[in-house]
């Protein structure tokens, strides 16, 4: 699958411009991490990609066909997990998955449901009413419904929210495995999730794409712009963007990004988080 | 296709919801309200009490419940944010159709369950006059169709507003209109159709047709409205108008919506059941038309061919006139507004023009006749008869079916308005062709005879009469000839009512009453010519009489009424009571007294029933079952708080006040007045003296400007004052 986002702008009826002239190329197989601060336009982009919104300008093409023209066929190849989704509480997890499988028009729903339930580790609660499930278990049902039918495009919005660390690792692995033969778009605030599994990263801020490339490329942009210093040594920190402060026996050790590191700052190897923060801080200046 | 595939899925999900089953359960139970709380069908027939009322109550309550369920179901997808998942899979438009279909299926299931659940109870309560077709149609039309209308209305409200609270307010207002402002308009009261009575013994096809027509008209209207709201389902983050504009790009969608609304509007405007008669009931324009100069009526022959399956009439009426003017003349006819008419005079087509004016359920037609000396005017007419618009809240007439029909005046044949009779009056021959099971009963002294029988059993009946109008009853009647009071009573009652009539000893009661009343008070004025037809009619809200015939409303002879202990100790005695009304009530009409007066036809009727029972079963029996009971009731009545302190009755809420005052009025008419008559009997010198007084009153010279028998007339005849009969 190949998705071409060409000069897409989106302005809401209230006048708020959420995306400005955004252009991206996404193609499978790939696991794309979508990063950006609140209000950057990530959710709007996702809604555009699931055809819940229409761009006010520009176009989105799926395998060369405008999305608006092939919406039904496109949706049949889509698995989507929104951030604040809901479930029918009176159904069991399997009944709900059966319902979603039928909506998707799956021909072998039982097998698809079994696979999805296994993939998210929900076997024990498969026949429990959804109203009895914990937040993490409901999240797993949500992920399972997205996986139903092996869709060619998977879009996950904050999929690991509510999951414990062990589950997060499990799902990272699952996403990574899933992305081997399809396109997976992962929007998250947890850089760690992105860092460990994504082969592509898109950073959005204020409706614009600040970066689109591999994690290594993003990290590379921050090389020479990340450093550490003792807080007591810092005469002025105005030019620095402090990303971490750690109390140690010798005092408070700060980690910061900046276009030009002051002399008292010792350069450090940038992490993906540093690179992301550097990118955002540079934009904010 | 997608919606069809989604339908079982959505239905399955809907039926897994506890809320759905709660609504279904309440809707299935809601006909119980029709037995107690909500009884819009106020006639006393068994089907009115135990079928129409429960089905109507169930329809109203079920409709409201399904409206609420619809809003709940449509809102919950958004409220619980499941729509974020489903909308990413399929179009919200497809989902809306699937949800609507599922709700409709749940409604159909509910109607079916309600009909099944209430079948045994209804069958037991209705008794011998129960029929499956009436039951099925009542539950389909009164109950079942209320549910989809509510679903469409509530669904449209939600799809327009996308707010549950606002949708509830809109739906409540729409339902409320049906029970208030629109309640008296048979086309508008979408949730609670105007059903005042169902016939036990005869058919209810006209009533069912009226209700079906109203329901289907609304179904088209609400489907149209829903279709427009469907176009407004929010998509792509757009508002109402943006979604509408986008959705309406496929032209067939708004076209379907507009077509449905247009169909509904056309159906409403072209309704075939009620006419547009002048609402001024004092208007007499049709009866004050100038007579056609020098034209005289000679005779007429009418041939009527009712189509009992379609409820229509086709007829041919041949009028013979003498036209001494030598000039063409315009003859005016009053024709049922549902009929069309064509005319030929002396073999040539002549102009027949409908004027557009309607009065008293007649459309004015003007027919041109030539200036020939003798004119034979042949009118071909027919159609689906319309009822007078003043009767639109009492649906059911004129009934034309395979078990019953009643054709009155302009429904039977064009009514001549402006030609004077010749020396012979209005000699008329009527022929009517009816299905084999039906017996023709001309309402009057004429007797109908069979003149031909077709291969399919259809029989042609012929009778003659001498009048401009005329009423013809026909039905699946049993006729019993009873010699009583020196005349032959031709007693016609519906075959379906046979078991009830036999159990009540109807024939014996007729004989006893006629013998007694004719002997004590004198023969009925309308029982002339040595014969009197007593014809049981379809429920009509009362009886009436003419020369040689008197009508018995079937509502007076239901099993429930015949078991009314206030009227008689047993079914046979209630039958006697109802027949005594031929003398007191029909033979002599009573004025409507002021509130609080015990005077009515019931008092003398109950008293006469007591006298007949006393003669039949002895004094002790009559004393125990009548006089002693009246005394007990009246003693309680005088002790009643509200009788002693009527000022407190006025302070009660209207509904409660009416219940109490109706109950008190019942005691006054059925117990207090008979007791007063017993006292009067004692004061005037005993039974014989009272019989003579009543005889004289019954045969008094009627003042036709005020033909009613008043309390004062009675007191004057007894030489008593009102105070003398005071029982307190």
């Amino acid at each position: 699958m190949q998705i071409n986002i060409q000069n897409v702008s989106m302005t809401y009826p209230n006048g708020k411009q959420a995306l400005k002239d955004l252009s991206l190329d996404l193609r499978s197989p790939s696991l794309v991490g979508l990063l950006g601060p609140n209000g950057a336009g990530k959710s709007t982009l996702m809604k555009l990609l699931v055809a819940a919104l229409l761009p006010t300008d520009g176009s989105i093409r799926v395998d060369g066909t405008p999305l608006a023209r092939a919406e039904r066929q496109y949706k049949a190849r889509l698995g989507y997990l929104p951030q604040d989704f809901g479930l029918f509480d009176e159904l069991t997890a399997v009944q709900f998955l059966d319902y979603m499988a039928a909506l998707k028009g799956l021909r072998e729903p039982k097998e698809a449901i079994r696979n999805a339930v296994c993939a998210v580790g929900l076997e024990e609660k498969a026949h429990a009413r959804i109203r009895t499930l914990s937040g993490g278990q409901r999240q797993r049902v949500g992920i399972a419904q997205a996986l139903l039918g092996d869709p060619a495009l998977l879009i996950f919005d904050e999929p690991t929210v509510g999951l414990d660390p062990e589950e997060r690792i499990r799902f990272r692995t699952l996403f990574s495995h899933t992305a081997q033969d399809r396109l997976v778009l992962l929007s998250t605030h947890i850089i760690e999730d992105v860092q460990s599994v994504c082969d592509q990263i898109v950073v959005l801020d204020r409706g614009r794409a600040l970066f689109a490339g591999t994690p290594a490329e993003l990290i590379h942009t921050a090389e020479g712009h990340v450093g550490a210093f003792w807080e007591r040594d810092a005469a002025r920190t105005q030019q620095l963007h402090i990303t971490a402060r750690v109390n140690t026996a010798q005092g408070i050790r700060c980690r910061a990004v900046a276009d030009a590191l002051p002399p008292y700052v010792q350069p450090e190897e940038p992490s993906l988080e540093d690179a992301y923060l550097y990118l955002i801080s540079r934009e904010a200046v | 296709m997608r919606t069809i595939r989604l339908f079982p899925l959505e239905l399955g999900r809907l039926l897994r919801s506890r809320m759905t089953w709660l609504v279904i359960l309440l809707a299935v139970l809601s006909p119980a309200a029709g037995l107690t709380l909500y009884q819009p069908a106020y006639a006393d027939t068994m089907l009115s009490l135990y079928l129409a009322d429960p089905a109507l109550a169930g329809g109203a309550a079920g409709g409201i419940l399904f409206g609420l369920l619809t809003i709940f179901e449509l809102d919950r997808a958004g409220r619980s944010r499941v729509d974020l998942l489903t909308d990413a899979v399929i179009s919200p438009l497809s989902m809306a159709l699937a949800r609507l279909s599922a709700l409709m299926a749940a409604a159909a299931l509910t109607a079916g369950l309600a009909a099944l659940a209430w079948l045994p109870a209804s069958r037991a309560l209705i008794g011998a006059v129960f029929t499956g077709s009436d039951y099925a149609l009542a539950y389909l039309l009164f109950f079942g169709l209320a549910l989809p209308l509510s679903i469409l209305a509530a669904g449209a409200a939600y799809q327009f507003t996308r707010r549950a609270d606002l949708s509830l307010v809109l739906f409540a207002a729409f339902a409320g209109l049906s029970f208030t402002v629109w309640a008296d308009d048979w086309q508008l009261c979408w949730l609670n159709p105007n059903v005042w009575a169902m016939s036990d013994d005869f058919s209810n096809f006209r009533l069912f047709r009226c209700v079906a027509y109203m329901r289907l008209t609304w179904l088209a209207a609400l489907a149209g409205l829903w279709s427009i709201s469907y176009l407004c389902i929010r998509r792509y983050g757009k508002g109402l108008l943006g979604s509408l504009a986008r959705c309406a790009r496929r032209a067939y969608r708004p076209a379907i919506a507009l077509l449905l609304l247009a169909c509904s509007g056309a159906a409403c405007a072209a309704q075939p059941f009620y006419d547009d008669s002048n609402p001024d009931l004092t208007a007499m324009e049709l009866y004050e038309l100038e007579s056609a100069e020098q034209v005289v009526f000679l005779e007429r022959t009418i041939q009527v061919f009712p189509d009992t399956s379609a409820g229509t009439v086709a007829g041919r009426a041949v009028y013979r006139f003498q036209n001494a003017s030598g000039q063409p003349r315009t003859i005016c006819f009053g024709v049922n507004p549902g009929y069309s008419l064509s005319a030929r005079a002396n073999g040539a087509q002549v102009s027949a023009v409908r004027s557009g004016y309607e009065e008293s359920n007649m459309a004015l037609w003007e027919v041109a006749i030539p200036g020939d000396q003798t004119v034979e005017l042949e009118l071909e007419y027919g159609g689906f008869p319309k009822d007078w618009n003043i009767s639109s809240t009492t649906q059911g007439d004129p009934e034309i079916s395979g078990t019953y029909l009643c054709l009155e005046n302009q429904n039977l044949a064009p009514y001549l308005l402006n030609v004077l009779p010749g020396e012979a009056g209005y000699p008329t021959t009527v022929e009517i062709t009816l299905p084999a099971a039906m017996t023709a009963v001309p309402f009057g002294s004429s007797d109908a005879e069979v003149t031909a029988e077709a291969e399919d059993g259809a029989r042609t009946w012929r009778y003659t009469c001498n009048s401009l109008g005329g009423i013809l009853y026909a039905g699946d009647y049993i006729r019993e000839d009873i010699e009583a009071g020196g005349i032959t009573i031709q007693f016609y009652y519906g075959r379906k009512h046979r078991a009830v009539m036999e159990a009540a000893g109807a024939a014996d009661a007729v004989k006893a009453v006629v013998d007694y009343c004719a002997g004590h008070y004198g023969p009925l004025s309308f029982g002339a010519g040595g014969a009197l037809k007593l014809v049981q009619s379809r429920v009509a809200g009362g009886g009436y009489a003419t020369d040689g015939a008197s009508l018995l409303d079937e509502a007076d002879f239901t099993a429930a009424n015949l078991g009314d202990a206030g009227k008689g100790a047993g079914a046979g005695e209630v039958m006697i009571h109802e027949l005594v009304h031929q003398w007191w009530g029909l033979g002599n009409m009573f004025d409507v007294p002021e509130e609080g007066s015990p005077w009515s036809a019931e008092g003398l009727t109950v008293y006469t029933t007591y006298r007949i029972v006393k003669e039949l079963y002895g004094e002790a029996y009559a004393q125990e079952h009548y006089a002693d009971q009246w005394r007990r009731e009246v003693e309680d009545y005088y002790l009643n708080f509200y009788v002693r302190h009527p000022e407190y009755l006025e302070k009660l809420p209207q509904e409660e006040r009416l219940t109490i005052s109706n109950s008190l009025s019942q005691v006054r008419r059925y117990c207090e007045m008979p007791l007063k008559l017993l006292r009067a009997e004692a004061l005037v010198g005993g039974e014989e003296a009272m019989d003579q007084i009543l005889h004289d009153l019954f045969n008094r010279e009627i003042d036709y400007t005020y033909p009613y028998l008043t309390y004062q007339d009675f007191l004057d005849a007894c030489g008593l004052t009102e105070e003398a009969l005071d029982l307190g």
Side-chain angles (χ1 to χ4, degrees), chain B residues 488-499:
Chain B
T488 302
I489 306 292
Q490 297 171 7
F491 186 31
Y492 291 92
Y493 57 89
R495 190 173 304 280
K496 205 174 151 191
H497 210 61
R498 185 177 208 157

mmCIF file with all atom_site columns, all heavy atoms in Angstrom, chain B residues 488-499:
data_model
loop_
_atom_site.group_PDB
_atom_site.id
_atom_site.type_symbol
_atom_site.label_atom_id
_atom_site.label_alt_id
_atom_site.label_comp_id
_atom_site.label_asym_id
_atom_site.label_entity_id
_atom_site.label_seq_id
_atom_site.pdbx_PDB_ins_code
_atom_site.Cartn_x
_atom_site.Cartn_y
_atom_site.Cartn_z
_atom_site.occupancy
_atom_site.B_iso_or_equiv
_atom_site.pdbx_formal_charge
_atom_site.auth_seq_id
_atom_site.auth_comp_id
_atom_site.auth_asym_id
_atom_site.auth_atom_id
_atom_site.pdbx_PDB_model_num
ATOM 1   N N   . THR B 1 488 ? -96.456 -9.270  14.558 1.00 0.00 ? 488 THR B N   1
ATOM 2   C CA  . THR B 1 488 ? -95.334 -10.185 14.306 1.00 0.00 ? 488 THR B CA  1
ATOM 3   C C   . THR B 1 488 ? -94.034 -9.393  14.415 1.00 0.00 ? 488 THR B C   1
ATOM 4   O O   . THR B 1 488 ? -93.848 -8.398  13.707 1.00 0.00 ? 488 THR B O   1
ATOM 5   C CB  . THR B 1 488 ? -95.440 -10.796 12.902 1.00 0.00 ? 488 THR B CB  1
ATOM 6   O OG1 . THR B 1 488 ? -96.693 -11.474 12.796 1.00 0.00 ? 488 THR B OG1 1
ATOM 7   C CG2 . THR B 1 488 ? -94.304 -11.788 12.650 1.00 0.00 ? 488 THR B CG2 1
ATOM 8   N N   . ILE B 1 489 ? -93.208 -9.837  15.317 1.00 0.00 ? 489 ILE B N   1
ATOM 9   C CA  . ILE B 1 489 ? -91.893 -9.189  15.452 1.00 0.00 ? 489 ILE B CA  1
ATOM 10  C C   . ILE B 1 489 ? -90.899 -9.971  14.598 1.00 0.00 ? 489 ILE B C   1
ATOM 11  O O   . ILE B 1 489 ? -90.714 -11.174 14.793 1.00 0.00 ? 489 ILE B O   1
ATOM 12  C CB  . ILE B 1 489 ? -91.401 -9.211  16.913 1.00 0.00 ? 489 ILE B CB  1
ATOM 13  C CG1 . ILE B 1 489 ? -92.442 -8.615  17.862 1.00 0.00 ? 489 ILE B CG1 1
ATOM 14  C CG2 . ILE B 1 489 ? -90.054 -8.505  17.033 1.00 0.00 ? 489 ILE B CG2 1
ATOM 15  C CD1 . ILE B 1 489 ? -92.666 -7.149  17.712 1.00 0.00 ? 489 ILE B CD1 1
ATOM 16  N N   . GLN B 1 490 ? -90.319 -9.306  13.637 1.00 0.00 ? 490 GLN B N   1
ATOM 17  C CA  . GLN B 1 490 ? -89.239 -9.945  12.858 1.00 0.00 ? 490 GLN B CA  1
ATOM 18  C C   . GLN B 1 490 ? -87.931 -9.541  13.524 1.00 0.00 ? 490 GLN B C   1
ATOM 19  O O   . GLN B 1 490 ? -87.497 -8.395  13.432 1.00 0.00 ? 490 GLN B O   1
ATOM 20  C CB  . GLN B 1 490 ? -89.274 -9.451  11.413 1.00 0.00 ? 490 GLN B CB  1
ATOM 21  C CG  . GLN B 1 490 ? -90.543 -9.818  10.671 1.00 0.00 ? 490 GLN B CG  1
ATOM 22  C CD  . GLN B 1 490 ? -90.630 -9.110  9.321  1.00 0.00 ? 490 GLN B CD  1
ATOM 23  O OE1 . GLN B 1 490 ? -89.683 -8.452  8.897  1.00 0.00 ? 490 GLN B OE1 1
ATOM 24  N NE2 . GLN B 1 490 ? -91.767 -9.239  8.675  1.00 0.00 ? 490 GLN B NE2 1
ATOM 25  N N   . PHE B 1 491 ? -87.375 -10.499 14.208 1.00 0.00 ? 491 PHE B N   1
ATOM 26  C CA  . PHE B 1 491 ? -86.194 -10.204 15.028 1.00 0.00 ? 491 PHE B CA  1
ATOM 27  C C   . PHE B 1 491 ? -84.946 -10.623 14.248 1.00 0.00 ? 491 PHE B C   1
ATOM 28  O O   . PHE B 1 491 ? -84.722 -11.808 14.008 1.00 0.00 ? 491 PHE B O   1
ATOM 29  C CB  . PHE B 1 491 ? -86.326 -10.974 16.346 1.00 0.00 ? 491 PHE B CB  1
ATOM 30  C CG  . PHE B 1 491 ? -85.250 -10.653 17.353 1.00 0.00 ? 491 PHE B CG  1
ATOM 31  C CD1 . PHE B 1 491 ? -84.656 -9.403  17.414 1.00 0.00 ? 491 PHE B CD1 1
ATOM 32  C CD2 . PHE B 1 491 ? -84.852 -11.608 18.275 1.00 0.00 ? 491 PHE B CD2 1
ATOM 33  C CE1 . PHE B 1 491 ? -83.690 -9.117  18.349 1.00 0.00 ? 491 PHE B CE1 1
ATOM 34  C CE2 . PHE B 1 491 ? -83.882 -11.328 19.218 1.00 0.00 ? 491 PHE B CE2 1
ATOM 35  C CZ  . PHE B 1 491 ? -83.297 -10.078 19.252 1.00 0.00 ? 491 PHE B CZ  1
ATOM 36  N N   . TYR B 1 492 ? -84.157 -9.639  13.826 1.00 0.00 ? 492 TYR B N   1
ATOM 37  C CA  . TYR B 1 492 ? -82.927 -9.909  13.060 1.00 0.00 ? 492 TYR B CA  1
ATOM 38  C C   . TYR B 1 492 ? -81.708 -9.681  13.956 1.00 0.00 ? 492 TYR B C   1
ATOM 39  O O   . TYR B 1 492 ? -81.554 -8.598  14.522 1.00 0.00 ? 492 TYR B O   1
ATOM 40  C CB  . TYR B 1 492 ? -82.815 -8.952  11.875 1.00 0.00 ? 492 TYR B CB  1
ATOM 41  C CG  . TYR B 1 492 ? -83.821 -9.155  10.775 1.00 0.00 ? 492 TYR B CG  1
ATOM 42  C CD1 . TYR B 1 492 ? -85.024 -8.467  10.769 1.00 0.00 ? 492 TYR B CD1 1
ATOM 43  C CD2 . TYR B 1 492 ? -83.542 -10.018 9.711  1.00 0.00 ? 492 TYR B CD2 1
ATOM 44  C CE1 . TYR B 1 492 ? -85.934 -8.633  9.743  1.00 0.00 ? 492 TYR B CE1 1
ATOM 45  C CE2 . TYR B 1 492 ? -84.460 -10.186 8.677  1.00 0.00 ? 492 TYR B CE2 1
ATOM 46  C CZ  . TYR B 1 492 ? -85.656 -9.491  8.706  1.00 0.00 ? 492 TYR B CZ  1
ATOM 47  O OH  . TYR B 1 492 ? -86.559 -9.648  7.687  1.00 0.00 ? 492 TYR B OH  1
ATOM 48  N N   . TYR B 1 493 ? -80.881 -10.683 14.078 1.00 0.00 ? 493 TYR B N   1
ATOM 49  C CA  . TYR B 1 493 ? -79.622 -10.464 14.795 1.00 0.00 ? 493 TYR B CA  1
ATOM 50  C C   . TYR B 1 493 ? -78.485 -11.220 14.104 1.00 0.00 ? 493 TYR B C   1
ATOM 51  O O   . TYR B 1 493 ? -78.708 -12.185 13.384 1.00 0.00 ? 493 TYR B O   1
ATOM 52  C CB  . TYR B 1 493 ? -79.718 -10.852 16.271 1.00 0.00 ? 493 TYR B CB  1
ATOM 53  C CG  . TYR B 1 493 ? -80.136 -12.275 16.541 1.00 0.00 ? 493 TYR B CG  1
ATOM 54  C CD1 . TYR B 1 493 ? -79.184 -13.290 16.637 1.00 0.00 ? 493 TYR B CD1 1
ATOM 55  C CD2 . TYR B 1 493 ? -81.469 -12.606 16.736 1.00 0.00 ? 493 TYR B CD2 1
ATOM 56  C CE1 . TYR B 1 493 ? -79.553 -14.594 16.900 1.00 0.00 ? 493 TYR B CE1 1
ATOM 57  C CE2 . TYR B 1 493 ? -81.856 -13.913 16.999 1.00 0.00 ? 493 TYR B CE2 1
ATOM 58  C CZ  . TYR B 1 493 ? -80.884 -14.901 17.081 1.00 0.00 ? 493 TYR B CZ  1
ATOM 59  O OH  . TYR B 1 493 ? -81.266 -16.186 17.332 1.00 0.00 ? 493 TYR B OH  1
ATOM 60  N N   . GLY B 1 494 ? -77.294 -10.745 14.335 1.00 0.00 ? 494 GLY B N   1
ATOM 61  C CA  . GLY B 1 494 ? -76.125 -11.286 13.642 1.00 0.00 ? 494 GLY B CA  1
ATOM 62  C C   . GLY B 1 494 ? -75.877 -12.749 14.003 1.00 0.00 ? 494 GLY B C   1
ATOM 63  O O   . GLY B 1 494 ? -76.003 -13.131 15.164 1.00 0.00 ? 494 GLY B O   1
ATOM 64  N N   . ARG B 1 495 ? -75.491 -13.515 12.986 1.00 0.00 ? 495 ARG B N   1
ATOM 65  C CA  . ARG B 1 495 ? -75.263 -14.947 13.217 1.00 0.00 ? 495 ARG B CA  1
ATOM 66  C C   . ARG B 1 495 ? -74.162 -15.167 14.262 1.00 0.00 ? 495 ARG B C   1
ATOM 67  O O   . ARG B 1 495 ? -74.214 -16.071 15.071 1.00 0.00 ? 495 ARG B O   1
ATOM 68  C CB  . ARG B 1 495 ? -74.854 -15.611 11.898 1.00 0.00 ? 495 ARG B CB  1
ATOM 69  C CG  . ARG B 1 495 ? -74.818 -17.126 11.933 1.00 0.00 ? 495 ARG B CG  1
ATOM 70  C CD  . ARG B 1 495 ? -74.583 -17.706 10.552 1.00 0.00 ? 495 ARG B CD  1
ATOM 71  N NE  . ARG B 1 495 ? -75.581 -17.250 9.590  1.00 0.00 ? 495 ARG B NE  1
ATOM 72  C CZ  . ARG B 1 495 ? -76.813 -17.751 9.480  1.00 0.00 ? 495 ARG B CZ  1
ATOM 73  N NH1 . ARG B 1 495 ? -77.196 -18.732 10.268 1.00 0.00 ? 495 ARG B NH1 1
ATOM 74  N NH2 . ARG B 1 495 ? -77.649 -17.278 8.587  1.00 0.00 ? 495 ARG B NH2 1
ATOM 75  N N   . LYS B 1 496 ? -73.209 -14.265 14.253 1.00 0.00 ? 496 LYS B N   1
ATOM 76  C CA  . LYS B 1 496 ? -72.090 -14.401 15.181 1.00 0.00 ? 496 LYS B CA  1
ATOM 77  C C   . LYS B 1 496 ? -72.560 -14.233 16.634 1.00 0.00 ? 496 LYS B C   1
ATOM 78  O O   . LYS B 1 496 ? -71.896 -14.664 17.563 1.00 0.00 ? 496 LYS B O   1
ATOM 79  C CB  . LYS B 1 496 ? -71.069 -13.305 14.831 1.00 0.00 ? 496 LYS B CB  1
ATOM 80  C CG  . LYS B 1 496 ? -69.664 -13.606 15.232 1.00 0.00 ? 496 LYS B CG  1
ATOM 81  C CD  . LYS B 1 496 ? -68.789 -12.510 14.684 1.00 0.00 ? 496 LYS B CD  1
ATOM 82  C CE  . LYS B 1 496 ? -67.586 -12.294 15.539 1.00 0.00 ? 496 LYS B CE  1
ATOM 83  N NZ  . LYS B 1 496 ? -66.866 -11.086 15.168 1.00 0.00 ? 496 LYS B NZ  1
ATOM 84  N N   . HIS B 1 497 ? -73.707 -13.578 16.783 1.00 0.00 ? 497 HIS B N   1
ATOM 85  C CA  . HIS B 1 497 ? -74.199 -13.287 18.128 1.00 0.00 ? 497 HIS B CA  1
ATOM 86  C C   . HIS B 1 497 ? -75.169 -14.351 18.621 1.00 0.00 ? 497 HIS B C   1
ATOM 87  O O   . HIS B 1 497 ? -75.761 -14.209 19.695 1.00 0.00 ? 497 HIS B O   1
ATOM 88  C CB  . HIS B 1 497 ? -74.893 -11.920 18.109 1.00 0.00 ? 497 HIS B CB  1
ATOM 89  C CG  . HIS B 1 497 ? -74.814 -11.190 19.411 1.00 0.00 ? 497 HIS B CG  1
ATOM 90  N ND1 . HIS B 1 497 ? -73.627 -10.829 19.984 1.00 0.00 ? 497 HIS B ND1 1
ATOM 91  C CD2 . HIS B 1 497 ? -75.776 -10.766 20.270 1.00 0.00 ? 497 HIS B CD2 1
ATOM 92  C CE1 . HIS B 1 497 ? -73.864 -10.217 21.131 1.00 0.00 ? 497 HIS B CE1 1
ATOM 93  N NE2 . HIS B 1 497 ? -75.165 -10.176 21.327 1.00 0.00 ? 497 HIS B NE2 1
ATOM 94  N N   . ARG B 1 498 ? -75.313 -15.389 17.829 1.00 0.00 ? 498 ARG B N   1
ATOM 95  C CA  . ARG B 1 498 ? -76.346 -16.372 18.131 1.00 0.00 ? 498 ARG B CA  1
ATOM 96  C C   . ARG B 1 498 ? -76.189 -16.956 19.540 1.00 0.00 ? 498 ARG B C   1
ATOM 97  O O   . ARG B 1 498 ? -77.165 -17.037 20.303 1.00 0.00 ? 498 ARG B O   1
ATOM 98  C CB  . ARG B 1 498 ? -76.271 -17.497 17.097 1.00 0.00 ? 498 ARG B CB  1
ATOM 99  C CG  . ARG B 1 498 ? -77.365 -18.519 17.242 1.00 0.00 ? 498 ARG B CG  1
ATOM 100 C CD  . ARG B 1 498 ? -77.261 -19.557 16.151 1.00 0.00 ? 498 ARG B CD  1
ATOM 101 N NE  . ARG B 1 498 ? -78.562 -20.131 15.853 1.00 0.00 ? 498 ARG B NE  1
ATOM 102 C CZ  . ARG B 1 498 ? -78.857 -20.708 14.716 1.00 0.00 ? 498 ARG B CZ  1
ATOM 103 N NH1 . ARG B 1 498 ? -77.956 -20.751 13.754 1.00 0.00 ? 498 ARG B NH1 1
ATOM 104 N NH2 . ARG B 1 498 ? -80.039 -21.232 14.521 1.00 0.00 ? 498 ARG B NH2 1
ATOM 105 N N   . ALA B 1 499 ? -74.979 -17.347 19.885 1.00 0.00 ? 499 ALA B N   1
ATOM 106 C CA  . ALA B 1 499 ? -74.756 -17.991 21.186 1.00 0.00 ? 499 ALA B CA  1
ATOM 107 C C   . ALA B 1 499 ? -75.160 -17.060 22.321 1.00 0.00 ? 499 ALA B C   1
ATOM 108 O O   . ALA B 1 499 ? -75.819 -17.482 23.278 1.00 0.00 ? 499 ALA B O   1
ATOM 109 C CB  . ALA B 1 499 ? -73.287 -18.383 21.312 1.00 0.00 ? 499 ALA B CB  1
#
